[in-house]
Amino acid sequence: MKPLETIEVLQTTFFSQRMPAPIRLRELIRTIRTARTQAEEREMIQKECAAIRSSFREEDNTYRCRNVAKLLYMHMLGYPAHFGQLECLKLIASQKFTDKRIGYLGAMLLLDERQDVHLLMTNCIKNDLNHSTQYVQGLALCTLGCMGSSEMCRDLAGEVEKLLKTSNSYLRKKAALCAVHVIRKVPELMEMFLPATKNLLNEKNHGVLHTSVVLLTEMCERSPDMLAHFRKLVPQLVRILKNLIMSGYSPEHDVSGISDPFLQVRILRLLRILGRNDDDSSEAMNDILAQVATNTETSKNVGNAILYETVLTIMDIKSESGLRVLAINILGRFLLNNDKNIRYVALTSLLKTVQTDHNAVQRHRSTIVDCLKDLDVSIKRRAMELSFALVNGNNVRGMMKELLYFLDSCEPEFKADCASGIFLAAEKYAPSKRWHIDTIMRVLTTAGSYVRDDAVPNLIQLITNSVEMHAYTVQRLYKAILGDYSQQPLVQVASWCIGEYGDLLVSGQCEEEEPIQVTEDEVLDILESILISNMSASVTRGYALTAIMKLSTRFTCTVNRIKKVVSIYGSSIDVELQQRAVEYNALFKKYDHMRPALLERMPVMEKVTTNGPAEIVQTNGETETSVLETKPPPSGLQPANQANDLLDLLGESDITPVIPTAPTIKPASAGGELLDLLGDLNLTGSPVSAPAPQIAQPPFLLDGLTSQPLFNDIAAGIPSITAYNKNGLKIDFTFERSNTNPSVTVITIQASNSTELDMTDFVFQAAVPKTFQLQLLSPSSSVIPAFNSGTITQVIKVLNPQKSCTWSLVLKASMPRSPFGFAGKEHWYRKLDGKEEENGLSPGQFVAAVMGTVYVVPLVMLVFCPLEQLGFVVCLW
Amino acid sequence: MTYCPGPSALPAAACWDLAAPQIHFILLFSRQGKLRLQKWYTTLPDKEKKKIIREIVQIILSRNQKTSSFVDWKDLKLVYKRYASLYFCCAIEDQDNELLTLEVVHRYVELLDRYFGNVCELDIIFNFEKAYFILDEFIIGGEVQETSKKTAVKAIEDSDMLQETVEEYMNKPAF
């Protein structure tokens, strides 16, 4: 057989074996649409996919385009189509326009920068950018501008720049948007496009003008140098805008009587960026803005779109006061508009301006409050945010009434935000303590379980600090949960208060309200029902159990009942609850003499308000110190607290300076150190404040954190603990009592490093309340060698001369950012970004927000929190 | 094949900020929740896209007819409008002009209408690739490229002329 014949025969056999021509795209769509069930559809698709796959395998060029198009349809229906990725590339490389068109479309839909395959396109796109047909060039530009990865952008930026300078407006406008995409992906390529921007605004074609303005905006937003450079364009932009609004009807660009609103809005936005913080530019655009603001026809949406953009520009640049009034009035008019969309943007932009033009916005307060009743959730949300922004000392009562009403009636999705907002506003502007407590109680009863977790510790703190309101509060809370104890946050706060102030409740000392008659048993009844109830969360039960425990020192004739309850829960399935119960049981049995002191009433906590997350991070040290510092309450509850004169630290100079090697000695003597750490817990009946509530609560609040048994080790003193063990850094604490002075506690810190790099500049810092004295001896080194090949030791001596035991110590370790960073850092950031922390952190919040690890050692709680610059913070209560 | 959506994809919100186009994505879907067109101007894994589509379709379909056209969604804003049986939805940045986005949507509908002549959902189903071509002549990388209806439609028609001659279409249509 001659070679040619062979080929012919082969071809015939090949074609005879081939499947018939694949069905056409529209045919496939029609067939799929006849499917009555999902399963039927899936079956059809699978069959078709099999056919397409085999066609792809045969490298069939004729129908590749059709097959890919079908695949794209199936992709839209949600079926996998990734096996068409390479086929798209083949289509792009084809000479036929149809193939290219579908190929590029497929590439945009099926490929993106996360797949390396996309880089295979780069060369094809490059060729097509230089193609002789503008529509092929257009396809390449569009694809690059939609999905070009940074590698691609780097490779092709030169071609884009060339096309940006052509006279062909079809290519020029696409190239301008491609340049925008390139700059977004690879900002350092920006300067490359600078020469090409020179004549862009002289263009008459609106497409080119519009895209050029987009390009200039992008450059100005990304670089202050570009911004300064392009300020000179203001007069030209003003002229273009003026021509647009003055010129007569041009059918090509008209939208309901307005000439090219797209371009107008874009120019207004660029003017806003150019005029921001610049007097001259702002001055230059004042007139045109006034003109646009007054002349724009607003019967249609499109006019309002322009007006809206104008208002934003006026508010953002250094505009004249008259113009600002005009802008706010436009928004006021928007607020009264029948169109919900217009009302929505009015609220949105008022929200943006409320900081700078507070009084002007305040005038629209009643309209804004009315929007709370709107049916549209988007409008409601804006109205709610704006209402909170408008609350001040003068209107707080009225506004809160509206907002509480809103809280009651709004959709569940709003409740958490609304409750938090009310808490914040109430805290800032409360006219009286009683009003404040009433308001919060209203929120707890109406928003119920939607209230965020941090509200509970916050409220507890507020109540603790309002000493004169204790009796009133506990009575109100008791009444609130009498009928309904399903609202968890309410029940938690109520349990806590009943535990703390149960004696006031029973004695009926309330001055603010008609006192109620309650017996000790009734109080215990309700707490026990909370413990039993199916509706109670584990945390809530913890609160209830602790409350019952506390009542053992506040109630006189029901101690036996309390003992019984506590012992029952010693076998609870809930591990946390069981642990608590076992500990409390031990307290009854072994350490009954300490019980009154341990369960003493909480001292007043000082609250620090900070203005924002940034400040918290920056002033970390101070903030935490004061947040966690406790202060004696003004009432005479803690007579011992008054004596807080300190011994001079210098007097302690005979203390051994540094312990060079690390002794992990477990103190042999029993109990003594512990008592010592807490300041002397002398066991007289006199009221001494103790940190018992804090001990009891944080483990519940911080569910799931490691906690060591609370009282089990009491006899062994304070065991040495591993205070921090993360990212290769391990810090152990060893506690000891000083030989020379029993009220001095010596803490030896031993730090080791298991990473591959040495940690340098390791600094350990500590801070204590004023009533304490702290001596920080110099560390053995500031470098922790890698691979655990050595340790740093440092000794801290804490002197607590005071015989009362309000105890709080903040230790702080500072370390420059180590190469591995801290695992807890991200968490810290995220929490800070949240709105709820805006007004500072209360101790409870603080613990919840930045917790790294919480350790509970006998009567001392250590909290280790990885922080940005600090390494971590250690707090001891 | 290197297709891998990757299970550890970042949450959607984290992906926006680096290179933020004006419009992040455009979705067309029917009243029954069937997707008719999707155009993404931000890079996301397929799985994430599907999740977002499901979520958004559900949010928008559950909204009352009398409500506004805007919904806050994550860090973005959804601007949507219903035309007959089809919903057109754009996701835009928080600081973008919602009212103008409605105009963008409307312009796209006008372009479809001009191209197909009294466009209806079926036109878009059966000619979905054309709907994409029209969109690509109107918007690139999330930004409007052409503000003139005439120019945009002409570009599509001219491209169509290149695509296949009538003769080709009758004898051996590409698809």
Side-chain angles (χ1 to χ4, degrees):
Chain A
M1 224 185 272
K2 282 181 224 160
L4 256 177
E5 279 172 345
T6 325
I7 292 171
E8 217 163 310
V9 170
L10 277 175
Q11 270 183 350
T12 9
T13 44
F14 179 69
F15 279 112
S16 61
Q17 278 167 7
R18 251 177 82 153
M19 284 174 292
I23 61 163
R24 291 156 66 165
L25 170 65
R26 322 286 174 218
E27 193 58 46
L28 175 75
I29 296 175
R30 204 165 294 127
T31 317
I32 291 175
R33 283 172 58 80
T34 59
R36 269 159 304 167
T37 62
Q38 198 73 40
E40 207 177 317
E41 182 185 287
R42 203 176 308 124
E43 202 181 318
M44 287 175 183
I45 301 249
Q46 267 163 3
K47 213 171 116 205
E48 186 58 32
C49 274
I52 293 176
R53 273 175 200 270
S54 69
S55 173
F56 283 163
R57 256 198 308 277
E58 284 169 25
E59 291 296 332
D60 172 272
N61 287 329
T62 330
Y63 293 112
R64 180 177 289 129
C65 173
R66 180 186 292 184
N67 282 330
V68 169
K70 286 193 283 192
L71 211 50
L72 295 181
Y73 183 74
M74 296 188 237
H75 177 249
M76 184 144 60
L77 295 179
Y79 294 92
H82 53 273
F83 59 89
Q85 287 172 341
L86 277 180
E87 304 302 313
C88 292
L89 300 185
K90 288 178 196 158
L91 286 175
I92 292 170
S94 154
Q95 287 308 311
K96 280 168 70 186
F97 183 73
T98 313
D99 284 354
K100 277 191 189 299
R101 219 177 178 192
I102 291 293
Y104 277 120
L105 177 63
M108 282 190 272
L109 287 168
L110 301 181
L111 281 169
D112 64 52
E113 57 188 74
R114 287 168 309 108
Q115 292 121 28
D116 293 332
V117 189
H118 87 274
L119 286 175
L120 299 176
M121 280 164 58
T122 314
N123 215 26
C124 284
I125 293 187
K126 188 167 191 159
N127 290 337
D128 286 347
L129 286 175
N130 294 312
H131 202 274
S132 55
T133 314
Q134 65 166 2
Y135 295 109
V136 175
Q137 291 173 291
L139 282 177
L141 280 171
C142 176
T143 308
L144 180 61
C146 283
M147 61 159 296
S149 62
S150 37
E151 292 98 314
M152 247 177 172
C153 288
R154 271 180 225 278
D155 287 345
L156 300 173
E159 318 290 324
V160 174
E161 200 261 353
K162 234 186 299 169
L163 290 174
L164 189 54
K165 289 192 280 201
T166 64
S167 55
N168 179 340
S169 58
Y170 179 77
L171 294 176
R172 218 171 166 197
K173 67 185 184 195
K174 286 181 196 285
L177 289 187
C178 237
V180 170
H181 181 81
V182 170
I183 292 170
R184 280 174 186 164
K185 286 283 173 191
V186 196
E188 62 264 32
L189 290 176
M190 183 157 37
E191 292 197 2
M192 186 176 187
F193 297 104
L194 191 57
T197 57
K198 220 166 147 191
N199 294 316
L200 282 177
L201 292 185
N202 296 330
E203 180 72 40
K204 287 278 168 287
N205 180 293
H206 281 216
V208 179
L209 260 182
H210 184 268
T211 53
S212 305
V213 174
V214 174
L215 176 60
L216 294 175
T217 310
E218 189 67 26
M219 293 167 95
C220 289
E221 273 183 330
R222 283 190 183 263
S223 144
D225 293 342
M226 293 287 174
L227 181 61
H229 174 78
F230 288 126
R231 283 236 164 84
K232 62 172 195 271
L233 292 179
V234 170
Q236 206 177 349
L237 288 165
V238 167
R239 208 165 334 130
I240 298 172
L241 190 54
K242 191 172 237 158
N243 281 338
L244 279 176
I245 57 171
M246 298 314 236
S247 68
Y249 175 76
S250 83
E252 198 172 343
H253 299 111
D254 179 82
V255 178
S256 331
I258 285 173
S259 183
D260 208 336
F262 303 102
L263 182 56
Q264 286 198 38
V265 165
R266 268 300 173 175
I267 293 176
L268 285 165
R269 181 169 306 174
L270 181 54
L271 286 177
R272 172 154 85 237
I273 294 161
L274 295 172
R276 199 179 281 159
N277 302 320
D278 188 83
D279 289 316
D280 294 342
S281 309
S282 299
E283 169 74 34
M285 55 186 86
N286 245 326
D287 287 350
I288 188 73
L289 291 176
Q291 231 167 333
V292 178
T294 43
N295 290 351
T296 305
E297 164 65 46
T298 60
S299 56
K300 294 269 166 53
N301 174 63
V302 55
N304 287 318
I306 292 174
L307 218 47
Y308 173 40
E309 199 69 34
T310 313
V311 168
L312 293 181
T313 300
I314 291 173
M315 303 312 289
D316 224 17
I317 65 164
K318 302 205 154 216
S319 43
E320 286 166 4
S321 61
L323 204 53
R324 295 183 86 84
V325 172
L326 180 66
I328 296 266
N329 285 344
I330 289 173
L331 294 179
R333 253 189 0 248
F334 275 8
L335 266 186
L336 299 170
N337 200 303
N338 277 331
D339 186 340
K340 280 181 195 290
N341 292 341
I342 311 279
R343 287 213 297 277
Y344 174 91
V345 297
L347 291 167
T348 308
S349 24
L350 284 172
L351 202 54
K352 284 179 193 158
T353 54
V354 71
Q355 299 306 329
T356 43
D357 298 72
H358 189 88
N359 290 334
V361 181
Q362 202 64 260
R363 274 191 280 130
H364 302 288
R365 199 174 67 227
S366 62
T367 327
I368 293 163
V369 169
D370 278 346
C371 290
L372 285 174
K373 300 183 185 88
D374 205 293
L375 290 174
D376 187 337
V377 285
S378 305
I379 291 181
K380 262 192 215 180
R381 176 167 293 280
R382 299 287 145 145
M384 177 182 85
E385 286 168 14
L386 197 48
S387 298
F388 281 123
L390 290 177
V391 176
N392 61 25
N394 298 326
N395 60 26
V396 63
R397 282 173 193 270
M399 286 297 277
M400 280 303 168
K401 219 178 190 170
E402 295 286 350
L403 284 162
L404 281 168
Y405 179 73
F406 174 72
L407 180 67
D408 195 29
S409 59
C410 69
E411 284 83 354
E413 57 187 290
F414 292 117
K415 296 213 187 225
D417 285 339
C418 186
S420 297
I422 292 179
F423 286 146
L424 279 181
E427 194 176 322
K428 254 187 184 158
Y429 303 110
S432 73
K433 279 250 163 94
R434 164 148 184 195
W435 179 89
H436 192 176
I437 288 172
D438 283 349
T439 304
I440 293 186
M441 220 111 72
R442 273 282 298 279
V443 175
L444 283 180
T445 43
T446 41
S449 304
Y450 294 105
V451 172
R452 294 207 174 99
D453 289 345
D454 60 349
V456 173
N458 265 348
L459 178 56
I460 287 176
Q461 190 194 7
L462 170 77
I463 293 170
T464 317
N465 292 3
S466 323
V467 177
E468 66 285 356
M469 302 294 295
H470 285 166
Y472 168 72
T473 313
V474 70
Q475 182 172 321
R476 282 288 309 267
L477 282 166
Y478 177 76
K479 278 202 267 185
I481 61 163
L482 254 190
D484 173 19
Y485 40 81
S486 57
Q487 314 266 45
Q488 299 300 305
L490 176 72
V491 176
Q492 289 167 10
V493 176
S495 302
W496 192 89
C497 288
I498 292 173
E500 278 290 304
Y501 315 117
D503 45 340
L504 303 178
L505 179 63
V506 175
S507 64
Q509 292 173 342
C510 185
E511 288 166 12
E512 308 267 331
E513 236 180 31
E514 185 72 17
I516 48 167
Q517 293 300 316
V518 198
T519 65
E520 292 182 5
D521 277 314
E522 279 169 350
V523 175
L524 288 175
D525 281 346
I526 183 98
L527 288 173
E528 276 192 62
S529 356
I530 293 167
L531 270 174
I532 296 165
S533 168
N534 286 332
M535 287 179 287
S536 301
S538 169
V539 182
T540 314
R541 286 184 196 170
Y543 273 95
L545 186 67
T546 305
I548 291 178
M549 184 63 194
K550 285 189 212 164
L551 289 177
S552 71
T553 59
R554 290 158 178 68
F555 284 178
T556 45
C557 45
T558 42
V559 178
N560 280 332
R561 181 176 172 184
I562 290 172
K563 270 188 193 164
K564 220 160 100 195
V565 173
V566 168
S567 71
I568 288 172
Y569 282 89
S571 54
S572 165
I573 347 177
D574 186 329
V575 185
E576 269 302 319
L577 207 56
Q578 186 190 43
Q579 180 172 326
R580 255 2 93 190
V582 167
E583 287 159 4
Y584 295 154
N585 222 5
L587 200 54
F588 269 125
K589 289 192 175 133
K590 290 194 200 158
Y591 307 100
D592 211 32
H593 55 286
M594 290 163 71
R595 193 165 48 87
L598 286 174
L599 301 175
E600 188 44 62
R601 192 161 291 174
M602 277 288 289
V604 168
M605 296 174 261
E606 192 177 284
K607 173 132 184 175
V608 171
T609 34
T610 39
N611 292 329
E615 230 178 276
I616 295 174
V617 172
Q618 278 156 17
T619 60
N620 253 326
E622 295 84 49
T623 313
E624 268 106 49
T625 312
S626 33
V627 161
L628 295 164
E629 204 171 339
T630 53
K631 198 179 86 180
S635 74
L637 282 168
Q638 292 154 296
N641 261 354
Q642 263 84 50
N644 52 6
D645 276 348
L646 305 174
L647 289 178
D648 194 350
L649 257 184
L650 295 171
E652 296 289 318
S653 52
D654 55 336
I655 292 170
T656 38
V658 179
I659 301 175
T661 50
T664 30
I665 312 155
K666 207 164 184 174
S669 63
E673 284 78 12
L674 169 63
L675 294 183
D676 205 11
L677 255 179
L678 288 164
D680 192 356
L681 275 179
N682 61 4
L683 310 166
T684 61
S686 73
V688 211
S689 81
Q694 271 162 335
I695 292 162
Q697 273 167 5
F700 289 122
L701 293 173
L702 305 169
D703 236 4
L705 295 165
T706 49
S707 62
Q708 295 172 3
L710 197 51
F711 294 105
N712 300 354
D713 303 310
I714 211 158
I718 309 166
S720 56
I721 57 161
T722 300
Y724 186 87
N725 191 359
K726 240 184 210 171
N727 301 313
L729 175 64
K730 184 168 178 245
I731 300 176
D732 292 314
F733 280 19
T734 318
F735 302 89
E736 249 183 299
R737 198 196 306 189
S738 163
N739 296 330
T740 46
N741 183 346
S743 57
V744 170
T745 308
V746 180
I747 306 175
T748 310
I749 294 151
Q750 185 183 11
S752 62
N753 167 15
S754 63
T755 62
E756 300 169 355
L757 292 161
D758 290 356
M759 292 180 187
T760 53
D761 304 314
F762 182 85
V763 182
F764 196 96
Q765 295 177 318
V768 287
K770 287 187 191 110
T771 52
F772 288 75
Q773 291 214 342
L774 175 81
Q775 190 181 24
L776 209 57
L777 302 181
S778 50
S780 58
S781 162
S782 67
V783 179
I784 321 178
F787 299 115
N788 281 329
S789 54
T791 54
I792 293 184
T793 51
Q794 188 171 12
V795 174
I796 308 176
K797 296 182 179 182
V798 183
L799 171 70
N800 179 12
Q802 202 182 324
K803 288 307 162 204
S804 82
C805 55
T806 309
W807 220 107
S808 149
L809 165 67
V810 179
L811 299 177
K812 183 173 92 181
S814 106
M815 202 172 61
R817 277 272 207 70
S818 42
F820 44 77
F822 279 103
K825 207 170 65 198
E826 254 181 52
H827 185 63
W828 168 242
Y829 276 134
R830 199 164 52 235
K831 286 302 286 190
L832 279 182
D833 288 342
K835 281 178 193 147
E836 60 268 64
E837 267 93 36
E838 259 171 25
N839 273 40
L841 299 161
S842 67
Q845 269 178 313
F846 171 73
V847 169
V850 298
M851 66 198 177
T853 320
V854 174
Y855 294 84
V856 180
V857 296
L859 302 184
V860 179
M861 195 178 84
L862 301 172
V863 184
F864 297 91
C865 331
L867 294 180
E868 164 68 343
Q869 295 138 340
L870 297 173
F872 62 87
V873 171
V874 183
C875 320
L876 287 168
W877 270 282
Chain B
M1 218 43 100
T2 49
Y3 175 86
C4 59
S8 62
L10 286 167
C15 301
W16 304 138
D17 37 24
L18 189 70
Q22 189 186 7
I23 298 174
H24 286 254
F25 53 85
I26 299 174
L27 302 176
L28 263 66
F29 50 89
S30 69
R31 280 172 71 185
Q32 288 76 37
K34 283 255 185 211
L35 187 67
R36 297 300 178 207
L37 182 141
Q38 52 171 331
K39 186 81 192 178
W40 300 81
Y41 298 107
T42 36
T43 311
L44 287 173
D46 253 23
K47 228 167 147 187
E48 188 73 25
K49 286 183 188 171
K50 279 188 188 166
K51 212 179 105 208
I52 291 175
I53 293 171
R54 254 201 318 277
E55 191 183 328
I56 289 179
V57 167
Q58 198 250 329
I59 291 175
I60 291 179
L61 289 183
S62 67
R63 276 172 69 86
N64 188 308
Q65 279 249 282
K66 285 183 195 136
T67 54
S68 70
S69 300
F70 315 128
V71 187
D72 297 297
W73 178 78
K74 301 202 169 155
D75 296 344
L76 302 179
K77 252 182 313 206
L78 304 176
V79 176
Y80 70 94
K81 193 158 185 195
R82 195 180 123 186
Y83 287 88
S85 57
L86 261 192
Y87 282 90
F88 290 69
C89 171
C90 295
I92 57 169
E93 293 267 301
D94 192 47
Q95 70 271 13
D96 280 327
N97 191 324
E98 302 90 341
L99 298 178
L100 193 78
T101 309
L102 281 177
E103 292 300 319
V104 170
V105 168
H106 187 71
R107 171 58 62 89
Y108 179 48
V109 176
E110 283 181 325
L111 290 175
L112 289 170
D113 196 57
R114 205 179 254 213
Y115 181 85
F116 288 110
N118 282 327
V119 68
C120 68
E121 194 187 339
L122 280 179
D123 289 324
I124 293 171
I125 295 172
F126 280 98
N127 302 283
F128 72 95
E129 83 284 1
K130 301 278 189 207
Y132 278 112
F133 296 151
I134 295 168
L135 186 61
D136 285 342
E137 270 315 321
F138 178 44
I139 292 171
I140 286 184
E143 310 283 349
V144 171
Q145 60 161 314
E146 183 52 67
T147 63
S148 151
K149 269 183 272 187
K150 206 175 95 192
T151 315
V153 171
K154 182 158 187 311
I156 305 281
E157 285 168 353
D158 287 354
S159 297
D160 281 354
M161 293 302 286
L162 269 182
Q163 189 168 316
E164 38 201 349
T165 59
V166 178
E167 196 186 348
E168 251 182 299
Y169 187 79
M170 299 307 287
N171 295 334
K172 206 183 67 193
F175 44 89

